[in-house]
Amino acid sequence: MVEFCGVPGVGKTQLAMQLCVDVQIPEAFQGAGGEAVYIDTEGSFMVERVQQIAEAVGVHLQRICRRSAPHSERSVALAELGVPTQGKGGAAAFLPGIHVMRAHDHVEQLAAVAALPDILRQHPRVKLVVLDSVAFHFRHGASSTDFGKRTRLLASMAQKLNEIAHKNGVAVVLMNQMTTKVEPRSTGLHGSSRLVPALGESWAHAAAHRLQLFWAPRRVAAHPHQGPQGRDQGAQEDYAPLRAGLAAPTGGSGGVAGFYGAG
């Protein structure tokens, strides 16, 4: 289970939609060949944006096929996916593989998580579950005023998601918001503040990996988040936001191929 954190507008939802398309890249292209479940709590899932990303992925796979032998395994896989061998029109092949659930409050969000085992049985090709975002209803809804109840509900939801990930062999990706934390007097930094992932320390260890997205000059960067001690000294990844999706500027094959993971 992986959690991405970031301020509004940094690209969390775009990354989530990108992953929902990328998980469908056939195994012949070194992809997962799966489907995705998208739990939308903020109403930010945009079909038009997914179509743009899917169209770009389809064109990219076509380009790879043209470098392969005719009637190769990749050509067959592309045809089975429903992407034409040339030209546009590949977006329609990816949309049926994204199963979207809209949660309007924290009760519906918990119900959507509880329904995941049944959904995965009905759709055995699902290899990715996205929750965007995990914090929205627990920060602004009725559950936001009772912190004890909120902690218990979040702990139960995290346990359920981890169980689903391990039992079904699927990747679970959580998108989380940021909030401002004012340092207490006991730290010696009384009055200073910093941005931290939402939902507090009780949620901090819910995911096995936590990455923070932030703006850098002309790109979006991601680094491991290490709580109160600040930024981890581990690897940092940079991405450039494009109309066709997110691209890794240092990736091969023109950058975009490096992010799509196919080539």
Side-chain angles (χ1 to χ4, degrees):
M1 192 159 74
V2 181
E3 179 182 0
F4 288 94
C5 313
V7 297
V10 77
K12 299 186 296 297
T13 296
Q14 174 162 298
L15 175 59
M17 294 186 293
Q18 178 99 52
L19 292 174
C20 288
V21 174
D22 287 352
V23 75
Q24 300 181 62
I25 294 176
E27 294 180 5
F29 294 85
Q30 302 176 15
E35 297 179 354
V37 172
Y38 195 108
I39 303 175
D40 180 11
T41 67
E42 300 185 28
S44 54
F45 183 88
M46 296 180 292
V47 176
E48 295 82 3
R49 186 69 182 114
V50 175
Q51 287 178 318
Q52 292 175 351
I53 295 172
E55 193 69 55
V57 173
V59 171
H60 178 67
L61 297 180
Q62 291 171 350
R63 189 180 304 119
I64 295 173
C65 270
R66 287 196 292 269
R67 299 199 301 262
S68 304
H71 309 296
S72 66
E73 182 183 1
R74 285 179 169 177
S75 298
V76 173
L78 198 64
E80 291 178 347
L81 182 61
V83 176
T85 56
Q86 58 183 352
K88 294 185 177 182
F94 293 93
L95 296 181
I98 305 176
H99 310 282
V100 181
M101 292 188 287
R102 178 73 170 96
H104 295 86
D105 54 39
H106 78 282
V107 176
E108 291 187 1
Q109 179 176 331
L110 295 173
V113 172
L116 283 175
D118 290 334
I119 293 173
L120 295 180
R121 279 192 291 268
Q122 295 169 15
H123 303 277
R125 295 188 64 235
V126 169
K127 296 184 179 179
L128 170 69
V129 174
V130 173
L131 177 53
D132 180 23
S133 69
V134 65
F136 182 73
H137 292 311
F138 288 93
R139 294 183 68 193
H140 305 289
S143 64
S144 62
T145 57
D146 188 337
F147 291 103
K149 178 182 177 181
R150 187 183 80 167
T151 299
R152 292 192 298 272
L153 292 176
L154 287 170
S156 176
M157 184 179 65
Q159 182 179 4
K160 186 70 173 179
L161 289 171
N162 272 302
E163 181 181 329
I164 290 170
H166 287 95
K167 283 189 175 181
N168 297 277
V170 301
V172 176
V173 175
L174 311 174
M175 299 298 169
N176 196 4
Q177 302 169 342
M178 302 293 288
T179 188
T180 301
K181 179 178 180 179
V182 178
E183 298 293 350
R185 189 182 302 274
S186 59
T187 63
L189 301 173
H190 181 59
S192 64
S193 61
R194 56 189 174 89
L195 286 175
V196 297
L199 301 180
E201 295 298 326
S202 60
W203 176 258
H205 306 289
H209 306 282
R210 171 179 270 188
L211 298 173
Q212 183 174 338
L213 304 176
F214 63 96
W215 284 107
R218 301 183 64 182
R219 69 190 193 278
V220 177
H223 65 72
H225 185 85
Q226 280 287 340
Q229 300 305 317
R231 183 176 301 181
D232 186 276
Q233 297 303 311
Q236 175 176 306
E237 295 290 342
D238 295 344
Y239 300 101
L242 305 175
R243 177 178 175 81
L246 293 175
T250 57
S253 305
V256 176
F259 182 82
Y260 287 148

